Amino acid sequence: MDAHSRRGAGYGLAAAAFICVWAVLCWPWLSGAVTIPFDAKAHFQAQIQFLAQALHSGQSPFWTHNVFGGSPQVADPQSLIFSPAILLALLTPSPSFRAVDAYVLAHLLAGGLALMMVFRDRGWHPAGGLLAAIVFAFGASAAWRVQHVGQIASLAFFAIAFWLTARMLQRSSLGGAALAGLAAGLMMVEPDQVALLGAYVLIGMVVAHWLAGGWAAFRASLVPGVVAALVGLAVIALPLLWTWLFAEATTRPAVDLVEAGRGSLHPASLLTAFVADLFGAQDPRVEFWGPYSPSWNANELFLSQNMGQLYFGALPVLLLVIPGLSRGWLWDRGIRSLTILFGLMVLFAVGRYTPAFAFFYHYLPGVNAFRRPADATFLIGALGAVLAGYMLHRLFAEPSLRLTKRDLLWAGGMFAVLVASVLLVSVENHRLTAALRPVAFAAIWFSAALALLHGLRHLRTGLGPLVAATLVTGVVAADLGFNNGPNESTALAPEIYDVLRPDTRNETILVLKRLTAQPAGSPRRDRVELLGLGFEWPNAGMVHGFDHTLGYNPLRLADFSDAVGTRDTIAGPDQRKFTALFPSYRCRLANLLGLRYIASPVPIEQVDSVLRDGDLKLIARTKQGYVYENPRALPRVQFVGGWELADFEGMTQSGHWPEVDAQQAVLLEVEPPFAPPEGPARVRADLRLSRYENTEIEIEVTAAAAGFVVLNDIWHPWWRATVDGVDAEILKANVLFRAVQVPAGTHKVRFSFKPIEGAFAEVRERVSPSPAIEGDDLLPLPLPEEPLVAEGGRPLPSMLARPSQQVRDSMRLGGTPAASGRETIAPDLVSSALAH
């Protein structure tokens, strides 16, 4: 075999070895013995389940009614709609925990193989590529934050884009450029901070290539770069537009510098790159004592204990020191840019602890949208994997593998600094004894790594390189399996999350599903509130199909959050936040929401002290707690005859509602296009909710007089409405909800979620706002030329598109109350025609 064939065979064996390591280290999850916990279940399992159920029931997954009064899934960067999860959702209507875990872990497999291809394309040693793949998949945040499904996907696509971008620069291939743009687009299409930082790393690669190669490199890569950029933009343009508009309307349009700084990686956490589990994050027998714990100033930083774990193996770290630093190989021309980028990621991760983060925050686009500089630890692990793999490649390429005196001095210096730092931190926190065990294990692993490096010089000929690669693989896999393996942050019993299984027999879920079931056509669709039943509960409605007033998501529409009082989650009853407009479960907004059932782990009076006896009825007692009924909850759909102007912003702040019956008058921010004068009116009407799906709602109404169909779902600018097939305006009603005007008679009102049309209209309105129309500027509506009444007395479509005089009279009730079927509430209800 020639050298090229031998190198190809070597990479085939290396890829097979990596797949075996991946299967062994992932087996606890792949076997179903444990499951990836926390966000992977409480948030992402519910998202995938909702996506699968929508697709298999023939519905669009672009909107959900199941959390926060309704939310645009198509714009939510964590909905997984534009991720490979859609393939899993297409396979089965009920993806199991095991299937979702395998999907998440497959990203790490794909990313590791992509890094091996980087090594192969550059002609580097297969052992280096294998080391890089293992460290990428099982080191640092890839192992410790595997529950952050979206960021794991971003990391995997970063590795793929990294490989394809390097190939594009190396070969100037247009096809490769298109693939690089596609991979980068898939990395960014559901944006998070890992994707953002990954994009900056890719840009840094290209700039470094230009600086190193001069004009010739720039000219050769210009056209491929443009192709990659165009393909990437085509992938991300519309989803990012949706996400931007959604984010602007949420509680988190931006994160201020102080808030972002609270997500910084404490410098002491850098010690975990050398000493695995120094602070007790993995061992349940040890109380976590590192940064972000009560023993430090917990109010300064907001990170969970697993977010500060950087360990990616003793051998990889040792390789960065010797020969990386000791021989200056980290500054080799081929990887110098990656060394700089690695340092910048460390600088970014420590956030507020250096002045650099303020510069990044103010001058790098997108940084101010995220709250956790520590997310850079994902990139630290990925770039560290490449650098360590390159060091191993250089060692195998060297004529002699003998460790020099300089190497040993660097190693001794590293250990001395490390021991001193650990002693300082542990003594200051009175945890010296707790630090001894992890330091002892670190000494063992580093000793094994040093012995392995020393022994490599004897494995130079024959089968020696294969034996050496096998030893490196075994030592690193054992190290990462032992120190970064399943733990309480990454692997828990599946039974804990049983409530998120579609076929769960959980007593509370079964009670709520039975209570909220309605006969076909009923105008009711009662909402529930899961009042702090546990971390895994808030998004259960997305799995079981009922509508929860709260939920679990960092992005929530601000109008709803300000009015109802929402937080990122509602894991415990102490997290229920009441507002001026929603001061208690006995309030008008609760009734309008149709909040009929509340499930609480504690008696409701312990949460809502305003309640009096009889306000809520205890109707069930389950193993999980108490189920209460609000008997005043209104139907999802109402017909209201009158209207009244109101200041919604002022109401939200003050909590004061106008003295008007919600079943006789709808509150509006603006005067409706054509209507009777302000005031309540009681109108006889029959309503039928004939269709209620994610993005399509149909209501059949027969009313004795004109009025408003009120849909108590949250108002959003991307929804559109028709009345008998003719476009109708959706009015924002009762602070949060939707209303559509309809004439007297029988009609079909249809609400449809149109995210493309709605987003473009919103952008046009932002770019060129419609001028306000006032008083004398109003023009009379033209009368239609065709007949005004069709067979059976039904109004023609033009009567809704351009109201005729007859329709205006009908809408404004020009006859007597008895004749019109409308019961007059105010004496001026049938006043003269509106000026417009």
Side-chain angles (χ1 to χ4, degrees):
M1 297 174 67
D2 58 24
H4 179 75
S5 298
R6 288 196 300 272
R7 182 59 54 85
Y11 269 98
L13 290 173
F18 173 58
I19 293 171
C20 290
V21 169
W22 175 85
V24 170
L25 295 185
C26 292
W27 184 247
W29 294 276
L30 298 177
S31 67
V34 295
T35 193
I36 304 174
F38 300 117
D39 284 12
K41 292 296 168 290
H43 185 60
F44 292 104
Q45 180 76 33
Q47 297 285 348
I48 292 179
Q49 183 62 56
F50 173 81
L51 179 60
Q53 288 177 341
L55 295 176
H56 285 268
S57 63
Q59 298 187 56
S60 166
F62 286 1
W63 179 275
T64 179
H65 303 284
N66 304 134
V67 291
F68 299 119
S71 186
Q73 289 287 97
V74 71
D76 187 341
Q78 299 187 88
S79 69
L80 304 179
I81 289 174
F82 301 107
S83 76
I86 198 166
L87 300 177
L88 176 60
L90 286 168
L91 289 175
T92 172
S94 299
S96 66
F97 292 175
R98 189 175 174 183
V100 174
D101 289 351
Y103 157 79
V104 175
L105 297 170
H107 284 84
L108 300 177
L109 177 65
L113 291 172
L115 287 192
M116 293 187 72
M117 291 301 296
V118 173
F119 279 67
R120 184 179 185 276
D121 285 351
R122 296 195 175 194
W124 295 346
H125 198 284
L130 176 56
L131 175 64
I134 295 172
V135 174
F136 169 86
F138 301 104
S141 288
W144 279 94
R145 294 179 61 183
V146 70
Q147 65 270 41
H148 295 157
V149 173
Q151 291 178 315
I152 290 293
S154 296
L155 181 67
F157 279 113
F158 163 74
I160 297 169
F162 182 89
W163 160 48
L164 293 171
T165 301
R167 174 173 282 196
M168 175 192 76
L169 296 174
Q170 185 177 0
R171 303 182 181 183
S172 299
S173 163
L174 295 183
L179 291 175
L182 176 62
L186 291 172
M187 177 184 71
M188 290 292 297
V189 74
E190 292 194 321
D192 52 45
Q193 191 155 221
V194 174
L196 177 69
L197 295 175
Y200 280 124
V201 169
L202 297 179
I203 293 170
M205 286 176 59
V206 175
V207 172
H209 176 76
W210 290 343
L211 293 176
W215 171 249
F218 175 80
R219 184 176 55 191
S221 63
L222 181 60
V223 174
V226 170
V227 170
L230 291 176
V231 172
L233 285 173
V235 172
I236 68 174
L238 190 55
L240 281 191
L241 173 64
W242 282 326
T243 298
W244 172 64
L245 292 173
F246 177 44
E248 288 286 299
T250 68
T251 53
R252 277 182 53 192
V255 179
D256 64 48
L257 180 59
V258 174
E259 180 68 19
R262 289 179 178 144
S264 301
L265 185 76
H266 194 284
S269 291
L270 297 176
L271 292 173
T272 63
F274 303 88
V275 182
D277 200 30
L278 172 61
F279 300 114
Q282 184 184 43
D283 191 345
R285 297 168 298 178
V286 177
E287 182 182 0
F288 179 72
W289 60 275
Y292 338 114
S293 71
S295 61
W296 296 59
N297 190 344
N299 294 324
E300 291 291 322
L301 299 172
F302 296 146
L303 293 179
S304 57
Q305 62 188 42
N306 62 305
M307 293 182 182
Q309 300 299 115
L310 285 176
Y311 191 74
F312 55 92
L315 179 61
V317 169
L318 189 62
L319 286 169
L320 296 184
V321 178
I322 57 169
L325 290 174
S326 64
R327 302 186 189 184
W329 289 358
L330 283 172
W331 208 244
D332 282 2
R333 181 183 178 90
I335 61 155
R336 186 179 304 163
S337 62
L338 298 184
T339 301
I340 294 172
L341 290 167
F342 177 82
L344 288 174
M345 289 300 107
V346 174
L347 198 62
F348 188 96
V350 296
R352 57 184 264 180
Y353 292 100
T354 75
F357 182 68
F359 174 84
F360 296 145
Y361 178 88
H362 290 297
Y363 296 106
L364 286 183
V367 171
N368 66 353
F370 300 101
R371 60 180 176 178
R372 207 158 41 216
D375 288 345
T377 53
F378 283 94
L379 279 303
I380 291 172
L383 294 174
V386 176
L387 294 174
Y390 176 79
M391 295 303 113
L392 187 62
H393 151 71
R394 280 294 308 268
L395 282 176
F396 275 106
E398 284 291 295
S400 173
L401 281 174
R402 183 183 299 273
L403 294 178
T404 66
K405 186 176 181 180
R406 180 183 177 87
D407 292 332
L408 296 177
L409 285 174
W410 271 91
M414 180 194 77
F415 285 119
V417 171
L418 177 62
V419 170
S421 300
V422 171
L423 284 174
L424 177 63
V425 170
S426 58
V427 169
E428 280 190 354
N429 288 273
H430 311 289
R431 294 300 181 97
L432 180 59
T433 303
L436 291 179
R437 184 175 183 272
V439 169
F441 274 106
I444 293 172
W445 287 109
F446 274 103
S447 297
L450 191 61
L452 180 58
L453 288 182
H454 181 72
L456 289 180
R457 64 192 179 95
H458 300 296
L459 301 171
R460 302 286 293 174
T461 59
L463 294 176
L466 179 60
V467 174
T470 303
L471 288 173
V472 167
T473 301
V475 168
V476 174
D479 182 0
L480 294 177
F482 179 81
N483 290 302
N484 287 0
N487 59 75
E488 61 183 356
S489 294
T490 61
L492 293 177
E495 292 74 22
I496 295 174
Y497 299 96
D498 176 70
V499 69
L500 295 173
R501 289 187 170 111
D503 59 352
T504 182
R505 303 308 298 169
N506 180 276
E507 189 178 356
T508 301
I509 292 293
L510 294 178
V511 166
L512 291 174
K513 290 173 76 170
R514 174 176 56 81
L515 291 172
T516 55
Q518 294 291 335
S522 170
R524 300 200 68 93
R525 184 178 167 95
D526 297 317
R527 284 191 169 92
V528 307
E529 185 161 309
L530 305 173
L531 182 56
L533 293 170
F535 183 80
E536 65 275 16
W537 280 78
N539 285 349
M542 300 183 75
V543 175
H544 300 291
F546 54 73
D547 298 344
H548 184 200
T549 51
L550 306 178
Y552 178 28
N553 201 321
L555 292 179
R556 303 159 324 269
L557 291 170
D559 284 354
F560 187 85
S561 186
D562 293 343
V564 178
T566 69
R567 297 184 178 181
D568 284 6
T569 189
I570 180 74
D574 58 314
Q575 293 178 307
R576 186 49 167 109
K577 173 184 144 187
F578 292 108
T579 67
L581 205 62
F582 196 115
S584 165
Y585 289 112
R586 183 185 175 97
C587 70
R588 185 178 298 189
L589 185 53
N591 298 341
L592 288 170
L593 280 165
L595 176 52
R596 190 170 182 182
Y597 303 107
I598 299 118
S600 170
V602 298
I604 198 69
E605 296 81 8
Q606 295 183 21
V607 180
D608 186 354
S609 59
V610 177
L611 289 174
R612 297 168 301 193
D613 289 343
D615 285 347
L616 299 180
K617 298 179 181 178
L618 178 63
I619 58 174
R621 181 75 168 89
T622 68
K623 294 178 181 178
Q624 292 75 39
Y626 308 81
V627 179
Y628 296 90
E629 181 183 13
N630 170 21
R632 295 166 300 281
L634 295 172
R636 186 65 57 94
V637 181
Q638 299 172 260
F639 189 87
V640 178
W643 64 280
E644 187 171 311
L645 287 177
D647 175 9
F648 291 167
E649 184 176 352
M651 290 172 59
T652 301
Q653 293 175 354
S654 69
H656 176 70
W657 290 82
E659 294 296 330
V660 63
D661 187 343
Q663 300 186 69
Q664 296 180 8
V666 60
L667 301 179
L668 304 173
E669 280 189 307
V670 297
E671 188 172 333
F674 39 89
E678 285 186 78
R682 185 178 294 110
V683 176
R684 297 188 297 273
D686 291 324
L687 289 165
R688 186 173 186 273
L689 187 55
S690 55
R691 182 182 182 190
Y692 193 95
E693 297 180 351
N694 295 334
T695 59
E696 297 288 339
I697 300 170
E698 291 182 358
I699 302 161
E700 297 172 4
V701 55
T702 300
F708 302 83
V709 169
V710 179
L711 176 63
N712 289 321
D713 278 341
I714 191 168
W715 182 92
H716 190 276
W718 301 349
W719 280 89
R720 296 292 182 264
T722 61
V723 178
D724 298 330
V726 179
D727 289 347
E729 181 181 359
I730 301 179
L731 304 168
K732 192 172 186 180
N734 295 333
V735 182
L736 293 177
F737 308 112
R738 311 175 206 165
V740 171
Q741 286 184 276
V742 295
T746 299
H747 307 284
K748 178 178 286 187
V749 180
R750 180 171 184 169
F751 292 88
S752 301
F753 185 61
K754 304 287 187 182
I756 297 177
E757 176 186 335
F760 287 163
E762 191 173 349
V763 170
R764 285 195 300 270
E765 184 64 24
R766 288 169 180 248
V767 173
S768 180
S770 302
I773 300 177
E774 300 180 359
D776 297 338
D777 296 327
L778 294 172
L779 298 177
L781 293 170
L783 295 176
E785 297 179 357
E786 70 263 29
L788 298 175
V789 180
E791 293 181 8
R794 292 175 62 86
L796 289 172
S798 61
M799 295 169 62
L800 295 171
R802 298 178 298 163
S804 67
Q805 188 60 49
Q806 286 92 328
V807 172
R808 294 189 198 188
D809 290 342
S810 172
M811 296 293 291
R812 302 177 56 237
L813 310 177
T816 64
S820 66
R822 182 184 185 99
E823 191 174 323
T824 303
I825 305 299
D828 60 348
L829 192 59
V830 290
S831 60
S832 59
L834 296 175
H836 60 288

